[in-house]
Amino acid sequence: MKKELQTTADGSHTLFVPSLDEHYHSVNGALQESQHIFIQAGLRQTGKQHIRLLEIGFGTGLNAFLTLKEAETNALHIHYYTIELYPLEKSLTVTLNYGEMIWQEWKELFDALHKAAWNRPVNITPSFTLHKTEGDCNRLEFPSNIDLIYFDAFSPDKQPEMWSRELFDRLYTVASPAAVIVTYCAKGEVRRRMQAAGFTMQRLPGPPGKRHILFGRKQH
Ligand SMILES: C[S@@+](CC[C@H](N)C(=O)[O-])C[C@H]1O[C@@H](n2cnc3c(N)ncnc32)[C@H](O)[C@@H]1O
């Protein structure tokens, strides 16, 4: 899949996939979007210090890097599982400006996320373990006792197979009591499928350029 580097409205980069006519993030601001949805609406709502997190779609590593910074600055302990079917080439990841834009003093930690080996846990810092798995989330078995899910697949119009009731059922099964799921997509159909899987769903205000996002919680 060919990808093109683009700059979004807040100055942060994203990737565009011409064959899908799809961006990895919002063109209104990739960094703003990830911070709003995954950190503010997701990570900060778990109420936990020790968190087992599962991300669908590692991609550029933007969510992982924001999560790492949040963990290091708030004494959180995170085991970050992430699944990616199409890992990015190094020639692309080294051009991304997230290191400088998000955490200049520790920008080498952004490179560390990409350099980390696949398919095994790697300690990025003493309190942040990254476990990237290369493969299809519709085929792989998920880790268990997950406290937080970042659902960051390409849009349902472009990749409907990523937004199925079956996949949400599997995520619900591995979610721990009171686990949180967040996604940028606020489509009614997606909300109903997540709800049918068992999550209690809410629409929350979105980042600039997006009216709503979805937040869900597994009941105790
Ligand atoms: C919207 S992008 C977001 C990625 C990432 N969270 C980021 O911030 O860059 C969706 C990601 O899902 C990945 N993906 C597509 N199909 C997949 C599949 N079947 N299993 C796992 N990942 C997949 C894509 O390659 C892409 O990296």
Side-chain angles (χ1 to χ4, degrees), residues 51-54 77-81 121 127-131:
I51 297 166
R52 286 168 60 79
L53 189 160
L54 173 62
H77 294 262
I78 299 194
H79 199 112
Y80 196 107
Y81 292 96
S127 52
F128 188 96
T129 302
L130 178 67
H131 192 152

Side-chain angles (χ1 to χ4, degrees), residues 108-120:
E108 63 272 21
L109 287 179
F110 180 68
D111 307 328
L113 297 176
H114 284 287
K115 281 184 191 148
W118 288 83
N119 307 316
R120 64 176 178 83

Side-chain angles (χ1 to χ4, degrees), residues 64-73 103 109 113 124-125 128:
F65 192 51
L66 287 171
T67 305
L68 170 60
K69 183 179 182 195
E70 183 79 5
E72 292 301 311
T73 46
W103 207 7
L109 287 179
L113 297 176
I124 303 294
T125 69
F128 188 96

Side-chain angles (χ1 to χ4, degrees), residues 33-119:
E33 178 193 44
S34 286
Q35 181 71 25
H36 181 106
I37 301 171
F38 299 104
I39 306 302
Q40 182 57 37
L43 181 57
R44 292 185 183 159
Q45 308 310 319
T46 60
K48 293 183 176 171
Q49 292 292 114
H50 289 257
I51 297 166
R52 286 168 60 79
L53 189 160
L54 173 62
E55 177 182 48
I56 302 299
F58 177 68
T60 62
L62 173 56
N63 295 338
F65 192 51
L66 287 171
T67 305
L68 170 60
K69 183 179 182 195
E70 183 79 5
E72 292 301 311
T73 46
N74 292 285
L76 304 178
H77 294 262
I78 299 194
H79 199 112
Y80 196 107
Y81 292 96
T82 182
I83 300 174
E84 175 56 60
L85 185 55
Y86 309 110
L88 294 173
E89 314 80 66
K90 188 173 175 222
S91 57
L92 257 184
T93 61
V94 296
T95 61
L96 294 166
N97 63 1
Y98 302 144
E100 304 83 70
M101 278 200 73
I102 294 167
W103 207 7
Q104 176 64 32
E105 315 87 275
W106 289 99
K107 63 177 192 221
E108 63 272 21
L109 287 179
F110 180 68
D111 307 328
L113 297 176
H114 284 287
K115 281 184 191 148
W118 288 83
N119 307 316

Side-chain angles (χ1 to χ4, degrees), residues 7-218:
T7 302
T8 67
D10 64 6
S12 60
H13 285 150
T14 192
L15 298 175
F16 176 64
V17 188
S19 59
L20 286 178
D21 188 25
E22 179 86 343
H23 287 91
Y24 274 51
H25 310 97
S26 165
V27 293
N28 295 301
L31 173 49
Q32 266 184 159
E33 178 193 44
S34 286
Q35 181 71 25
H36 181 106
I37 301 171
F38 299 104
I39 306 302
Q40 182 57 37
L43 181 57
R44 292 185 183 159
Q45 308 310 319
T46 60
K48 293 183 176 171
Q49 292 292 114
H50 289 257
I51 297 166
R52 286 168 60 79
L53 189 160
L54 173 62
E55 177 182 48
I56 302 299
F58 177 68
T60 62
L62 173 56
N63 295 338
F65 192 51
L66 287 171
T67 305
L68 170 60
K69 183 179 182 195
E70 183 79 5
E72 292 301 311
T73 46
N74 292 285
L76 304 178
H77 294 262
I78 299 194
H79 199 112
Y80 196 107
Y81 292 96
T82 182
I83 300 174
E84 175 56 60
L85 185 55
Y86 309 110
L88 294 173
E89 314 80 66
K90 188 173 175 222
S91 57
L92 257 184
T93 61
V94 296
T95 61
L96 294 166
N97 63 1
Y98 302 144
E100 304 83 70
M101 278 200 73
I102 294 167
W103 207 7
Q104 176 64 32
E105 315 87 275
W106 289 99
K107 63 177 192 221
E108 63 272 21
L109 287 179
F110 180 68
D111 307 328
L113 297 176
H114 284 287
K115 281 184 191 148
W118 288 83
N119 307 316
R120 64 176 178 83
V122 176
N123 292 328
I124 303 294
T125 69
S127 52
F128 188 96
T129 302
L130 178 67
H131 192 152
K132 300 186 289 187
T133 301
E134 182 173 357
D136 183 347
C137 68
N138 275 309
R139 289 166 180 264
L140 289 170
E141 203 173 309
F142 296 140
S144 57
N145 297 317
I146 295 298
D147 304 303
L148 174 60
I149 300 164
Y150 290 169
F151 199 86
D152 201 12
F154 287 133
S155 67
D157 298 344
K158 305 297 162 65
Q159 267 202 312
E161 73 280 11
M162 300 290 282
W163 303 83
S164 69
R165 168 73 195 277
E166 291 70 28
L167 185 55
F168 298 148
D169 281 345
R170 291 177 54 226
L171 289 171
Y172 190 81
T173 303
V174 298
S176 64
V180 165
I181 183 166
V182 271
T183 185
Y184 66 89
C185 178
K187 284 198 160 184
E189 189 59 29
V190 169
R191 182 168 52 82
R192 285 188 288 278
R193 279 185 205 147
M194 288 187 169
Q195 184 95 41
F199 294 103
T200 302
M201 300 303 299
Q202 263 181 279
R203 276 195 324 190
L204 298 179
K210 189 153 202 1
R211 195 187 298 216
H212 291 120
I213 60 168
L214 288 179
F215 170 93
R217 207 181 268 279
K218 179 168 178 168

